Amino acid sequence: MEQVEVTEVAVLNPKGWFLEPIRLRVQFKVNHPLQKGNLSLSELEWKIIYVGSAESYVHDQLLDHFFMELTSKGTRTFEIEADHPDASKIPSVEDLIGASVFMVCAFYRSQEFFR
């Protein structure tokens, strides 16, 4: 069993405009107490990334990034509001008006465990 598992990611404004912030609710479960050490190993790292182009990751935009301290078992829920993507960094009109993606990524001890 994993130490931490993400059980839900919900978009709170699914019909929002491109220039509105992205609002998410994330629920996750800590199955085992996380070990605290010299490097704050009990921290979870979260990133919200907008994929600016399917052709290359160089156009990806980090919309938000933060750490969360955890030491005990249990289910946690949090809401986050991330800035909208910067349209001037999107390489082409097709990428701007076509289908796109934003990702929620989670890390524990610098290892990604959720995307």
Side-chain angles (χ1 to χ4, degrees):
M1 183 183 302
E2 298 177 0
Q3 285 187 298
V4 179
E5 67 183 292
V6 177
T7 56
E8 178 188 25
V9 176
V11 179
L12 299 178
N13 58 339
K15 295 183 181 185
W17 295 96
F18 183 80
L19 296 177
E20 291 180 1
I22 296 167
R23 296 181 48 236
L24 304 170
R25 180 179 58 245
V26 178
Q27 182 175 355
F28 63 98
K29 184 176 179 184
V30 178
N31 294 315
H32 304 286
L34 302 179
Q35 302 285 322
K36 185 164 180 130
N38 296 346
L39 301 174
S40 291
L41 295 179
S42 62
E43 287 184 336
L44 295 180
E45 180 180 13
W46 297 90
K47 293 181 182 182
I48 313 298
I49 299 170
Y50 176 80
V51 177
S53 173
E55 302 299 319
S56 173
Y57 69 90
V58 300
H59 301 290
D60 290 358
Q61 297 179 42
L62 181 63
L63 302 180
D64 205 344
H65 176 236
F66 59 96
F67 293 89
M68 181 179 290
E69 184 77 24
L70 296 173
T71 55
S72 60
K73 292 177 20 170
T75 300
R76 312 254 186 332
T77 302
F78 68 90
E79 291 185 10
I80 182 163
E81 183 173 291
D83 290 336
H84 62 80
D86 181 348
S88 70
K89 295 180 180 178
I90 298 172
S92 71
V93 173
E94 290 81 18
D95 289 322
L96 182 60
I97 62 173
S100 191
V101 171
F102 67 90
M103 300 182 293
V104 177
C105 303
F107 302 81
Y108 176 61
R109 295 185 176 179
S110 300
Q111 293 186 354
E112 185 176 283
F113 67 90
F114 178 81
R115 177 178 284 206

